[in-house]
Amino acid sequence: QFVQESPVDVVLRVIPAAEFDERSRETLMRQAAMKLPPPMQLPIEERSQLMPNKSGKAPLVMRVFEKSGESGGASTARETQ
C-alpha cells in the first residue's frame, strides 16, 4: 500500500511474507527509485495490516493530506484508484 503523506512524501507499507528479507526490500526500493522523481524517497514500513479507508477496504494508494485549497482543516485519508 502506497501512503502519500505530503506532495513529496510517500511510504510503502507491506505485510511481509516469510521470504521477505533485506534483498527483497532493496529490490523494491531500487524499482521504485526508477519510477519516482529524484527528490522523492520511498521508505518501506513492515506492518501486520494495511491502512483501511472509511469503508474498511485497504486501497493500493491513499493520500492522507489535504491539497492546498481543500477545506476541512484536518487531514483526511483519500483513496486513489
Side-chain angles (χ1 to χ4, degrees):
Q1 181 179 55
F2 294 91
V3 180
Q4 187 175 11
E5 298 174 336
S6 79
V8 295
D9 295 312
V10 178
V11 175
L12 176 58
R13 294 182 175 160
V14 299
I15 300 174
E19 311 82 38
F20 189 79
D21 57 10
E22 190 59 33
R23 186 172 166 183
S24 303
R25 178 184 290 272
E26 290 171 3
T27 299
L28 278 174
M29 292 179 73
R30 186 174 53 254
Q31 290 176 351
M34 291 187 289
K35 307 263 186 221
L36 296 173
M40 291 184 87
Q41 300 289 319
L42 186 70
I44 298 173
E45 294 179 357
E46 294 181 29
R47 297 287 180 106
S48 60
Q49 63 184 32
L50 300 178
M51 179 186 289
N53 60 15
K54 290 179 183 176
S55 66
K57 296 179 182 179
L60 177 62
V61 178
M62 290 189 75
R63 178 170 53 95
V64 293
F65 72 97
E66 291 192 15
K67 291 181 181 178
S68 62
E70 289 184 358
S71 61
S75 292
T76 56
R78 299 201 185 270
E79 182 176 348
T80 306
Q81 303 256 345

